[in-house]
Amino acid sequence: MRRAGADPVQLMDQAQRLRQSVGWASDRSAIPIAGAAARPTRDAALRDEAYLAYQALLEPLDPLIRDRGRLLVVATVQVGLNLPFEMFLTSPAPAGAANAELDWLVKRQAVTQVPSVDLLWQRDFPGRLPETEIWYAGFGGPDYALPSTLGRSNWATRLLAQLRPLPDAAEEVRQVAAAFGEGKGMAVTGADASEYLIEELSEAGTLGKFSVLHFATHGLVHGDHPDVGEPLLALTPLLDLAQPARFELGTIDLPRPDGALEAGEIRQLKLRARLVILSACSTGVIDGDQDALQGLGTSFLAAGAERVLGTHWPINSAAAVEIVTGMSRRDPQFADPARALQQTLVEIIAQGGAKADPAYWSAFSLMGSP
């Protein structure tokens, strides 16, 4: 274990420069994102920052870690959880070299980010399900525009109605469900992929029977839209309240499943999953002034999940499908998601061209238990 000797403020600035140099690959984003800088300028900046980050954080340990197959990172919210270590460069980029030729850290090691040692020690983790009961549930491509019983006076249903459909996200969960095998994988798409269903499954104890949960949808964080305070996953708006009393207690109006599954609501879910896949934009992001439990990914950890695959920024939809389904083909039960992610990213980088660009492949990281 090593504590980085660099000044925390300098590390925060460096992490921010590296994030900005990536240039978002944002066609799954709910909110329009400005384009990246001109490629030559942007590529040079990214490569410089990726190597500087490695020098500051990992190079002093290089003799000890270079031959290790796995790297566990316990980092600060401001630096580690908002930055994929996989895209660090372990050596300077030669002039004129293609992205596929560079020494990205992911080519050398599988990385797991541990958001907080205290989080893992103190949370009430209910225990892993038996290996013979590996169940998968995927929720993808919700129907954001369906009318809701809450009406358009509700901020969430107004916001959801503006979101772009994601048919490729629905196909993503179908492919992963098929890889689990008949009777072990469930893909919930379109109108059925609602927040109401998630909460019903949680209250019934059914959600806690799935070893792997997968959400392929839009993710929004603070700053994406004026109405977004807490980070949220976008699901189908509420269509019907079969039991209205469940959401009303006397004169107190309790939160209703309006389609915006917010971080605070996620922490109330009853989970036992060993992996939650969040194939949506910015699901691993935590604001610098928040504690580690305020992000979408860490909220799932607090709810009982063992590990979360989340994203650091707005993602490319084709990349999300290729990465998640690629992991599923290599490891259909997601028994070793860190290794499956590493192998998938290395294969994508080897294809060269636009796919070797970190803006395409580097958004995802695994966080949670080693």
Side-chain angles (χ1 to χ4, degrees):
M1 181 176 290
R2 174 184 181 269
R3 182 181 296 275
D7 178 82
V9 175
Q10 292 179 344
L11 286 175
M12 288 175 61
D13 290 343
Q14 190 171 46
Q16 184 62 20
R17 290 196 305 271
L18 182 54
R19 285 174 55 83
Q20 290 174 342
S21 70
V22 171
W24 316 130
S26 60
D27 65 350
R28 187 169 285 192
S29 176
I31 306 300
I33 305 294
R39 183 161 299 278
T41 302
R42 172 259 190 190
D43 282 356
L46 186 151
R47 293 174 178 195
D48 288 345
E49 295 296 341
Y51 181 55
L52 286 171
Y54 181 78
Q55 286 182 301
L57 292 171
L58 297 179
E59 191 172 58
L61 284 177
D62 193 70
L64 296 176
I65 67 174
R66 67 165 65 118
D67 296 325
R68 303 286 181 175
R70 299 178 188 271
L71 188 64
L72 307 179
V73 178
V74 182
T76 63
V77 168
Q78 295 88 342
V79 180
L81 294 185
N82 286 338
L83 195 64
F85 277 57
E86 289 90 340
M87 67 172 290
F88 288 1
L89 279 175
T90 61
S91 66
N99 280 318
E101 300 169 351
L102 302 185
D103 294 328
W104 305 108
L105 181 70
V106 71
K107 292 183 176 180
R108 193 174 77 177
Q109 287 158 320
V111 181
T112 299
Q113 297 191 3
V114 184
S116 161
V117 173
D118 289 342
L119 173 65
L120 298 180
W121 284 350
Q122 294 176 8
R123 69 193 177 105
D124 183 22
F125 181 65
R128 179 183 290 188
L129 293 164
E131 292 298 328
T132 55
E133 299 180 11
I134 301 174
W135 292 72
Y136 163 88
F139 303 87
D143 192 337
Y144 311 112
L146 279 177
S148 167
T149 58
L150 299 181
R152 297 307 180 200
S153 61
N154 176 269
W155 70 269
T157 49
R158 285 200 313 270
L159 172 60
L160 292 171
Q162 303 171 34
L163 300 184
R164 181 171 57 86
L166 293 174
D168 51 346
E171 180 59 26
E172 179 182 317
V173 298
R174 292 191 193 102
Q175 289 188 38
V176 178
F180 266 77
E182 187 175 356
K184 288 191 174 182
M186 180 178 78
V188 183
T189 62
D192 293 330
S194 67
E195 182 185 6
Y196 181 70
L197 175 62
I198 298 293
E199 294 186 357
E200 286 290 299
L201 292 175
S202 178
E203 288 299 315
T206 305
L207 202 63
K209 294 181 179 180
F210 293 104
S211 290
V212 178
L213 292 173
H214 178 187
F215 295 86
T217 182
H218 287 299
L220 293 96
V221 297
H222 178 69
D224 281 343
H225 189 277
D227 288 335
V228 176
E230 282 191 277
L232 63 89
L233 291 175
L235 298 171
T236 301
L238 179 65
L239 299 181
D240 184 29
L241 274 177
Q243 296 177 315
R246 184 182 155 211
F247 302 99
E248 297 177 3
L249 184 61
T251 59
I252 302 175
D253 186 19
L254 298 181
R256 297 175 182 235
D258 50 19
L261 183 62
E262 297 177 285
E265 296 169 321
I266 292 168
R267 292 194 290 273
Q268 303 305 312
L269 298 176
K270 301 171 184 177
L271 306 181
R272 294 177 66 190
R274 55 180 173 76
L275 177 65
V276 174
I277 301 168
L278 300 180
S279 187
C281 293
S282 306
T283 53
V285 170
I286 301 172
D287 286 343
D289 59 353
Q290 292 178 329
D291 65 57
L293 288 179
Q294 297 303 309
L296 287 169
T298 48
S299 293
F300 276 99
L301 294 177
E306 194 171 349
R307 300 179 187 89
V308 173
L309 182 68
T311 58
H312 294 279
W313 43 66
I315 57 173
N316 180 285
S317 200
V321 174
E322 185 172 3
I323 290 168
V324 175
T325 58
M327 292 175 64
S328 177
R329 285 193 300 273
R330 282 168 181 76
D331 185 359
Q333 308 298 323
F334 292 96
D336 189 348
R339 185 69 71 198
L341 176 63
Q342 179 199 22
Q343 292 173 347
T344 300
L345 296 184
V346 169
E347 182 179 86
I348 289 173
I349 294 169
Q351 296 177 47
K355 289 190 176 182
D357 190 321
Y360 186 87
W361 59 262
S362 68
F364 282 94
S365 284
L366 187 70
M367 69 173 75
S369 300

